[in-house]
Amino acid sequence: METIKNIEIYELGSSEEKSSPWSSTILILKLTSSNGATGFGEAPTTMMTLPVKESMNEVARVFQNKNYFDIEKNMRDYYKNAFYVTKSIEETAALSAFEIASWDLIGKDLGSPVYNMLGGRFNDRIRAYANGWYSDCVSPEDFVSKAKVLNSKGYTAFKFDPFGSAYDKISDEAVKKSAEIVAQMRSSLGSNVDLLIECHGRFSPKYAIKAGKALEEYNPLFIEEPVHPELETSLHEFREKVNIPVALGERLLNKEDFARYVSGGMVDIIQPDLTNSKGILEAKKIGAIAEAFGVPVAFHNAFGPVQTAATLNVDYTLPNFLIQESFEESWPTWKKNLFNGYTVKNGMMELSGKPGLGIEVNEKLLESSKVTGMEPLGNEPPWVVSGTFKP
């Protein structure tokens, strides 16, 4: 029986930091098995780096010396001890890292990529949409100029937040400005490019509807988190009044959460995050729940390379896969070079096919990128693309 013998938690960053999740600190987990193999996992940060890191130490107490093949059992062992895990993203994020790293070890032991153990490839091509690309964009011309650069590299889908500093409410003037941004993106990039509208859960229902209706005519692929996340029952009214598919899911923590949203008719497209909703096997279950209701999946993926590799392994297997988020074009150099094993080329993402997650770490960079403390906090909320939270 192979077991988890050594557990290492790395907080990583660099002097290139900006106050945004895709360029600031990341948490990487390294598990070493009793046979000397290593497996990697990742947990999200976003203004909770140290709480998540400490939760990883708590999860380690349960996983230490366990058989990493026993994923269901190990996850349930933690669940029965952790009284608040159903509502604690710190705990589910930490747990996800261990679950993902366990799969990496299993795949390496068996000589198989993870996706072959989840049903094999259903999708040969994983279409990506770019995110993080619109830093310092304020005017419509700013957005169009940067989008055209990525479009020339093969990207045919772009997510962006056109709402500036509007929060909770939005004025008529701000609605007009956001509509102008989306209108010029559509007219400049054409009808064959998909536009994905990010709201970051910032609006109360009345103003979400107001903003959404102004963007209908530009045919977005979806509008993400249009209302504050705790006001989910208002999504029924939003979907009745706004003719844009609603996407959400990065703040949902388990398959039960997704089952309620999907069966309750509150969402058109789900966006689970493997690094906060209990990892790879839970993601496969969430995808199956959505498939049973005819709902497509577009995984949230805003952090680091281990998250991307884990997510791609599930993407390959889902009949209801829609499109995959990618921040790779906006990453700082250290994060781009930390792991290799997948590519983003011509707007498509592909895994190496090597065993486990399919990635290999740059050990020197892993050691030299260590940092301590919380991620940077600037003048803008850390969930926006830097330089855009402006009137």
Side-chain angles (χ1 to χ4, degrees):
M1 180 180 72
E2 304 298 349
T3 59
I4 297 169
K5 283 301 180 187
N6 194 42
I7 297 170
E8 298 168 87
I9 299 165
Y10 294 83
E11 181 184 348
L12 306 178
S14 83
S15 58
E16 296 180 60
E17 306 305 0
K18 293 181 179 179
S19 182
S20 298
W22 52 91
S23 63
S24 63
T25 57
I26 60 173
L27 290 168
I28 297 295
L29 173 70
K30 180 181 179 181
L31 300 183
T32 303
S33 74
S34 52
N35 65 11
T38 56
F40 289 91
E42 183 178 348
T45 51
T46 317
M47 284 296 289
M48 57 181 187
T49 298
L50 297 184
V52 172
K53 189 176 180 181
E54 188 54 45
S55 285
M56 292 170 78
N57 288 320
E58 294 294 337
V59 175
R61 297 199 296 160
V62 173
F63 276 69
Q64 183 72 54
N65 298 320
K66 294 292 179 66
N67 181 347
Y68 47 83
F69 278 80
D70 294 338
I71 285 178
E72 291 277 22
K73 181 178 184 298
N74 295 340
M75 297 289 281
R76 186 53 64 96
D77 282 350
Y78 185 82
Y79 178 89
K80 72 183 180 185
N81 283 287
F83 200 69
Y84 299 104
V85 68
T86 59
K87 300 296 182 185
S88 170
I89 192 170
E90 292 85 359
E91 289 187 274
T92 58
L95 196 58
S96 299
F98 280 79
E99 199 271 359
I100 291 166
S102 295
W103 276 108
D104 198 19
L105 285 173
I106 293 167
K108 288 172 179 175
D109 279 5
L110 299 180
S112 171
V114 169
Y115 59 80
N116 276 348
M117 297 182 283
L118 299 175
R121 285 200 188 205
F122 184 89
N123 306 298
D124 288 323
R125 292 167 60 81
I126 303 300
R127 183 186 178 209
Y129 71 81
N131 201 352
W133 56 273
Y134 56 100
S135 58
D136 300 315
C137 289
V138 177
S139 70
E141 293 75 19
D142 293 337
F143 281 87
V144 169
S145 176
K146 287 200 171 185
K148 282 186 172 180
V149 172
L150 289 182
N151 188 226
S152 70
K153 294 182 178 182
Y155 286 89
T156 59
F158 300 87
K159 189 163 80 178
F160 57 102
D161 182 336
F163 301 110
S165 60
Y167 190 82
D168 192 39
K169 301 176 183 178
I170 186 167
S171 67
D172 291 343
E173 181 182 357
V175 169
K176 182 180 178 182
K177 183 176 180 180
S178 64
E180 288 172 352
I181 291 169
V182 179
Q184 287 204 32
M185 285 284 289
R186 173 57 72 212
S187 63
S188 298
L189 297 174
S191 59
N192 292 327
V193 165
D194 281 313
L195 306 181
L196 293 64
I197 307 302
E198 171 70 90
C199 298
H200 285 119
R202 69 170 70 202
F203 294 125
S204 59
K206 172 184 175 182
Y207 294 95
I209 292 168
K210 180 179 179 180
K213 287 187 72 64
L215 306 181
E216 286 178 332
E217 63 181 288
Y218 308 112
N219 193 31
L221 181 66
F222 63 66
I223 187 166
E224 182 173 334
E225 287 194 315
V227 301
H228 295 307
E230 64 271 21
L231 303 180
E232 72 275 5
T233 56
S234 66
L235 289 168
H236 293 291
E237 182 183 8
F238 183 91
R239 292 181 70 228
E240 287 174 3
K241 294 184 176 180
V242 178
N243 188 28
I244 306 174
V246 170
L248 57 79
E250 68 187 85
R251 302 191 223 210
L252 303 185
L253 305 184
N254 50 57
K255 63 183 178 298
E256 292 81 6
D257 282 348
F258 281 96
R260 284 189 287 271
Y261 274 75
V262 171
S263 65
M266 291 183 277
V267 63
D268 299 290
I269 297 160
I270 62 166
Q271 300 171 292
D273 185 314
L274 267 69
T275 64
N276 65 26
S277 59
K278 297 164 57 175
I280 288 172
L281 190 56
E282 191 85 348
K284 184 69 173 175
K285 294 176 182 180
I286 290 167
I289 290 168
E291 184 185 3
F293 287 84
V295 171
V297 179
F299 286 108
H300 179 255
N301 180 49
F303 302 111
V306 179
Q307 179 190 34
T308 297
T311 302
L312 288 173
N313 272 282
V314 182
D315 284 336
Y316 275 150
T317 72
L318 293 187
N320 52 332
F321 166 77
L322 178 63
I323 194 168
Q324 180 55 59
E325 182 170 30
S326 170
F327 276 84
E328 271 75 4
E329 294 285 349
S330 304
W331 279 355
T333 303
W334 69 271
K335 191 183 284 190
K336 290 180 180 178
N337 295 333
L338 187 59
F339 285 85
N340 65 67
Y342 68 87
T343 58
V344 188
K345 187 176 181 180
N346 295 323
M348 296 290 176
M349 307 180 80
E350 185 175 2
L351 280 166
S352 68
K354 293 179 179 179
L357 296 179
I359 54 176
E360 297 176 345
V361 69
N362 181 329
E363 291 282 0
K364 289 184 178 179
L365 194 55
L366 184 68
E367 292 295 330
S368 64
S369 299
K370 289 180 181 178
V371 295
T372 58
M374 294 290 282
E375 64 267 37
L377 181 62
N379 296 320
E380 301 174 296
W383 44 264
V384 303
V385 171
S386 56
T388 62
F389 200 72
K390 298 176 180 179

